Amino acid sequence: MNKINVRQTGVIIVMCIFANKILLMPSLMYEQTSADSIFVLITLFLLDLAMLPIFIWLKNSYPDKKFYDILKDKLGVVITKIIYLALLCFFFFKCLLVFSITYVYFKQQIYHNEFIFMALIAFLPVINHAVLCGVRTFARTIQLFFGIVIAGFIICLIISLFTPIAAPYFFVSNASQFFSSLYNHVFSFGDFIILFLIMDRIEIKKGQAKHLYFYSLFAMFLVVTLFYLFYAKYQITAFMHNNALADLLVFSVQFNAIGRLDIIAMLTIMFITLFQMEIFNYAFCDCFVNIFPLLNKNYSVVVFDVLFCILYYVFIGRYETMVTSTLFWLPYLAIVINYILPLVMVLILIIRRRGEKKNKSNL
């Protein structure tokens, strides 16, 4: 059976929480709210965390049912397909953003020139294979490398402590800047939405749901720590440093006889990016197959690759365009997916519970 356990679900959550938050976001947030960006980050994390009990409630109410079938039964086929089309766009642009940010990082740090075709040849076959093999296969792969990724992340944080740092200045932004930053960066969140799409493939035994909270809070703690150390290291020039996790190692890349330590950040970022693209590509293909049930995953993979390569010339080819889209018009889509859709599920669950109570009282 193509089922995943709670631990494998947890590592998928961690990779989604890391997505688009450990490289460019600290710099972008700093431009609006300076070090108060940490409070913006925590607020968005808390809003995301509120989606987890909704998922657990839905999973307990419909243990083996697909998310698509739940929506279809309650909202009808047309509305369900519209929702899945929005989800398809949501995950496609998430994947595009992950690739865009990481591509620019590697271009600046290693190649110093364009290597897009090499990058596409290296990434696309791997993530396509993961989609075709199924969620259980790539979840087990992420689980296998999870310890290495987390160790690399934590080592980067620890090494930054050996560089000059000082407590950042807080409470320097106003309410308008705070709420504007909340809106601008909401697209990079919605980290638990993937769980709804794969809920029928997740196996949660009694008493295991609490482990999902542990993985979630652990990943959020690491990201918040990254933000704090980044702002402590670059109190004034944080907006100039676009690769937060890697830039923590600046001024400490030579350490005794060990040599360059920035290779730790490079490998960690490479693994995280690969796993994130596998997850988002899988979500895209799952949405595609549900929207077009006559087409299988092979077609969805081809559609993804073609769209990805075409939109490279529109977005990735113009890096600023991709970032601007993330901050201004993609948040509209994110608000619908991240918050309105889970609230719809809450209404469905409340109506279902009332119906069950009414049936019991009639008996």
Side-chain angles (χ1 to χ4, degrees), residues 35 68 124 181 210 289:
Y68 180 86
L124 287 180
S181 185
K210 60 184 179 183
V289 170

Side-chain angles (χ1 to χ4, degrees), residues 289-314:
V289 170
N290 280 287
I291 296 171
F292 306 103
L294 297 179
L295 303 178
N296 58 28
K297 279 188 178 179
N298 295 327
Y299 289 99
S300 65
V301 167
V302 172
V303 170
F304 177 87
D305 290 351
V306 171
L307 286 176
F308 197 90
C309 292
I310 291 174
L311 287 180
Y312 157 71
Y313 294 101
V314 178

Side-chain angles (χ1 to χ4, degrees), residues 107-126:
K107 183 175 71 172
Q108 292 174 347
Q109 298 296 319
I110 301 175
Y111 292 93
H112 303 290
N113 54 30
E114 294 290 342
F115 68 106
I116 183 63
F117 294 109
M118 184 187 302
L120 292 175
I121 292 171
F123 272 93
L124 287 180
V126 176

Side-chain angles (χ1 to χ4, degrees), residues 126-153:
V126 176
I127 64 176
N128 290 342
H129 181 264
V131 171
L132 295 176
C133 287
V135 64
R136 186 165 184 261
T137 299
F138 74 73
R140 292 179 67 180
T141 303
I142 298 173
Q143 183 182 8
L144 180 64
F145 288 93
F146 183 70
I148 298 174
V149 170
I150 296 301
F153 196 109

Side-chain angles (χ1 to χ4, degrees), residues 195-213:
L195 298 183
F196 291 89
L197 293 183
I198 62 174
M199 60 178 289
D200 59 307
R201 300 173 180 87
I202 299 174
E203 186 177 16
I204 303 178
K205 297 179 181 178
K206 187 176 181 179
Q208 289 186 333
K210 60 184 179 183
H211 296 299
L212 298 180
Y213 287 97

Side-chain angles (χ1 to χ4, degrees), residues 311-332:
L311 287 180
Y312 157 71
Y313 294 101
V314 178
F315 288 103
I316 303 178
R318 290 182 290 176
Y319 178 67
E320 295 78 8
T321 304
M322 183 69 229
V323 174
T324 302
S325 300
T326 303
L327 298 178
F328 292 102
W329 68 269
L330 283 176
Y332 290 108

Side-chain angles (χ1 to χ4, degrees), residues 238-301:
F239 68 95
M240 299 172 58
H241 300 270
N242 296 332
N243 306 304
L245 185 63
D247 288 338
L248 286 179
L249 303 182
V250 174
F251 309 129
S252 62
V253 293
Q254 297 288 343
F255 189 75
N256 293 335
I258 298 177
R260 293 180 60 85
L261 294 179
D262 51 353
I263 188 64
I264 299 174
M266 292 178 187
L267 292 175
T268 302
I269 292 167
M270 182 182 69
F271 278 116
I272 290 175
T273 301
L274 183 63
F275 295 146
Q276 289 166 353
M277 291 186 68
E278 288 179 354
I279 294 168
F280 296 148
N281 188 9
Y282 181 86
F284 172 92
C285 293
D286 183 79
C287 293
F288 183 89
V289 170
N290 280 287
I291 296 171
F292 306 103
L294 297 179
L295 303 178
N296 58 28
K297 279 188 178 179
N298 295 327
Y299 289 99
S300 65
V301 167

